[in-house]
Amino acid sequence: MPDGQGGSLLLVGQSNYELSNVAAAVALPSVLAVPLDRRGRRSGPIRTAVPGDTASIGPLALADYAHDGKLGLFVGGRIYPGGYPLSPSSRLYRNEGGGRFVLDSASTAVLRHIGMVSAAIWTDLDQDGWPDLVLALEWGPLKAFRNDHGTLTRWDGLGFEPEYSRWLGLASADLDGDGRPDLVATSWGRNVRLKADSANPLLLYFGNFGTEPTLDLLLARYDQQMKAPVPMAPFARLRRAVPRIGERIRSFNAYGNATVNQVLGPGARTMLRFGATTFDHLVWLNRGDHFEPHPLPLEAQLAPAFAPVVPDFDGDGHEDLVLSQNFFPTDLGTPRYDAGRSLLLRGDGRGGFPAVPGQQSGLLVYGDQRGAAAADFDADGRADVVITQNGNATLLFRNQGAHPGLRVTLEGPPENPHAIGASLRVKYAAGWGPLREVQAGSGYWSVNGSTQVLPSTQPPVAITVRWPDGETREVAVPDRATAIVIRR
């Protein structure tokens, strides 16, 4: 992010799962600010940007959510060390300039104990000029917060609530070309050991199951024949871990016919219960007053997917989708999830995404993939993609097959020179291209490039820009232009 003085600040979230007490956790800064010069080299001492908290840090996302010309910071709460799956709080900070952040108490109040945040994005869902916040949670639904002139409020009733999952990644883009931002949410897919659907949800019970002062976890699934949740843990293992259960349930036969309430006894009523009704990767189409879920095709469901990346990779005027995939560090009884090699899905302009074989797309990444982002790094008018791997090399894929587009660079004020939070849309003689938003925080803990590559299969006539403060401007595109800079 900019430091307001021509340089920039690298914001780094940090956590320590081995701290032994609350005081030590709070004493460790959650976010550090590293000053960088114009060449990206460290230019001064590292300082605390955000103080410590009891939960580990998840995603960071920036936006001028208060329309004050500065980028506020969302800090996602991820996991309480030793307290999984309890729901930590997230925080929102106003920017006082120069990388100094002050807690926004009013908006942070609605983020209290919101859940384990896997991904966060700022996107203007209702197109009122104020960026809204959307969160992907582990063991929960997507959650949205409307930006009411600089103050966040819970935004229920959008259709997210029925679909509980262990969400991983999140992206917003105009997937059907109607000028409204849609969403892509990634999860674990269908090729996993544990299954879940609305009729047979997966449940996670959390609490003190025995006499020892410890907190335990129990996975369960809803059994249609017994009309109740039943435990999934092997009886021998569960009986060793919690001897009291062995006193209550005397045989394997009794355990095979027991519900969770019978296994846990009266204490089952006091347990916290989390659930998942799907592990599908979903596209959520924005219908104005609600979002409509659609699963991605089977090829996408074969592996967990972390970062969804959504530029127009082939330059045909329809937004496409790239997924980073796989998860290797599974538990001892589960083979690693390695059926993906990253995946390109070509958008049809109506919200559909047929898969492109790796031999055709060139995306062949066999490792344990995590973050991913898109940018036109070589300035040739084509969106390139970078994919990171856990414990392996970061890979950059140069786009050589797309129809070159129009490079559009927005220049904002010193505190927001990349115009984070602006939106733009290209106008043709025969209609409009998809809406684009300039974001800082997307996919899975990643940031796409701020320069937008807009499709030019038709000659662009003009570009409509809505700046982060809500002001709208239309700029004519010169004939045969390949790049344009629009200043605030």
Side-chain angles (χ1 to χ4, degrees), residues 16 38 66 69 78 164 228 251 279 322-323 338 362 389:
N16 191 329
R38 287 182 172 85
R78 185 68 188 103
Y164 278 65
S251 68
F279 290 133
V322 163
L323 301 178
D338 59 0
Q389 300 179 88

Side-chain angles (χ1 to χ4, degrees), residues 311-318 320 376 378-384 398-408 426 428 436 451-460 477 480-484:
D312 182 359
F313 282 106
D314 56 8
D316 67 350
H318 305 315
D320 305 311
D376 182 11
D378 54 0
D380 66 349
R382 301 178 178 95
D384 310 295
R398 182 180 180 184
N399 190 337
Q400 296 179 308
H403 184 281
L406 175 67
R407 286 171 49 86
V408 180
V426 62
Y428 308 103
R436 288 284 182 87
T451 294
Q452 304 295 309
V453 179
L454 302 182
S456 58
T457 50
Q458 308 173 52
V477 177
R480 300 183 181 179
T482 59
I484 185 173

Side-chain angles (χ1 to χ4, degrees), residues 427-472:
K427 182 180 181 180
Y428 308 103
W432 293 86
L435 177 78
R436 288 284 182 87
E437 293 180 314
V438 184
Q439 299 171 328
S442 59
Y444 180 80
W445 302 18
S446 306
V447 179
N448 294 321
S450 57
T451 294
Q452 304 295 309
V453 179
L454 302 182
S456 58
T457 50
Q458 308 173 52
V461 175
I463 296 173
T464 297
V465 178
R466 189 173 64 201
W467 296 96
D469 63 2
E471 181 181 331
T472 301

Side-chain angles (χ1 to χ4, degrees), residues 1 15 52 58 85 93 97 129 182 226 261 266 277 292 307-308 340 359 438 453 455:
M1 66 167 291
S15 305
Y93 289 86
D182 308 296
M226 301 183 70
N261 287 346
T277 59
E292 184 178 280
Q359 294 87 340
V438 184
V453 179

Side-chain angles (χ1 to χ4, degrees), residues 334-399:
T334 304
R336 70 184 194 179
Y337 298 133
D338 59 0
R341 53 183 186 181
S342 69
L343 182 65
L344 171 64
L345 300 109
R346 181 174 288 123
D348 63 8
R350 300 183 300 275
F353 287 92
V356 179
Q359 294 87 340
Q360 179 180 343
S361 71
L363 293 178
L364 299 171
V365 186
Y366 292 91
D368 189 19
Q369 302 151 55
R370 291 295 185 272
D376 182 11
F377 89 99
D378 54 0
D380 66 349
R382 301 178 178 95
D384 310 295
V385 64
V386 62
I387 298 176
T388 69
Q389 300 179 88
N390 181 26
N392 209 334
T394 295
L395 302 177
L396 174 63
F397 291 87
R398 182 180 180 184
N399 190 337

Side-chain angles (χ1 to χ4, degrees), residues 184-443:
V184 179
T186 58
S187 185
W188 292 82
R190 301 173 190 169
N191 190 22
V192 289
R193 181 172 64 89
L194 301 175
K195 312 293 183 181
D197 56 50
S198 57
N200 303 281
L202 184 70
L203 301 170
L204 180 66
Y205 288 81
F206 176 77
N208 187 344
F209 297 166
T211 57
E212 299 296 324
T214 58
L215 297 174
D216 305 292
L217 294 170
L218 178 66
L219 273 172
R221 60 176 176 81
Y222 189 84
D223 187 280
Q224 290 291 342
Q225 292 184 341
M226 301 183 70
K227 304 298 182 184
V230 298
M232 298 180 66
F235 180 48
R237 182 184 303 173
L238 186 61
R239 185 174 55 184
R240 285 196 302 270
V242 187
R244 172 171 284 188
I245 291 177
E247 298 172 3
R248 185 181 299 111
I249 307 295
R250 296 289 184 170
S251 68
F252 283 84
N253 182 64
Y255 182 72
N257 292 285
T259 65
V260 168
N261 287 346
Q262 292 169 334
V263 170
L264 297 182
R269 300 184 185 91
T270 65
M271 303 297 168
L272 295 178
R273 192 174 79 166
F274 302 83
T277 59
T278 183
F279 290 133
D280 277 6
H281 314 306
L282 298 178
V283 167
W284 296 84
L285 296 180
N286 188 341
R287 300 309 189 193
D289 60 349
H290 71 283
F291 282 78
E292 184 178 280
H294 297 270
L296 288 175
L298 178 62
E299 294 90 336
Q301 308 292 349
L302 297 179
F306 281 80
V309 185
V310 198
D312 182 359
F313 282 106
D314 56 8
D316 67 350
H318 305 315
E319 304 289 45
D320 305 311
L321 174 62
V322 163
L323 301 178
S324 66
Q325 297 179 305
N326 295 340
F327 184 78
F328 290 180
T330 57
D331 62 81
L332 291 177
T334 304
R336 70 184 194 179
Y337 298 133
D338 59 0
R341 53 183 186 181
S342 69
L343 182 65
L344 171 64
L345 300 109
R346 181 174 288 123
D348 63 8
R350 300 183 300 275
F353 287 92
V356 179
Q359 294 87 340
Q360 179 180 343
S361 71
L363 293 178
L364 299 171
V365 186
Y366 292 91
D368 189 19
Q369 302 151 55
R370 291 295 185 272
D376 182 11
F377 89 99
D378 54 0
D380 66 349
R382 301 178 178 95
D384 310 295
V385 64
V386 62
I387 298 176
T388 69
Q389 300 179 88
N390 181 26
N392 209 334
T394 295
L395 302 177
L396 174 63
F397 291 87
R398 182 180 180 184
N399 190 337
Q400 296 179 308
H403 184 281
L406 175 67
R407 286 171 49 86
V408 180
T409 302
L410 303 182
E411 291 187 358
E415 292 285 355
N416 187 8
H418 299 298
I420 302 301
S423 63
L424 59 159
R425 202 174 182 194
V426 62
K427 182 180 181 180
Y428 308 103
W432 293 86
L435 177 78
R436 288 284 182 87
E437 293 180 314
V438 184
Q439 299 171 328
S442 59

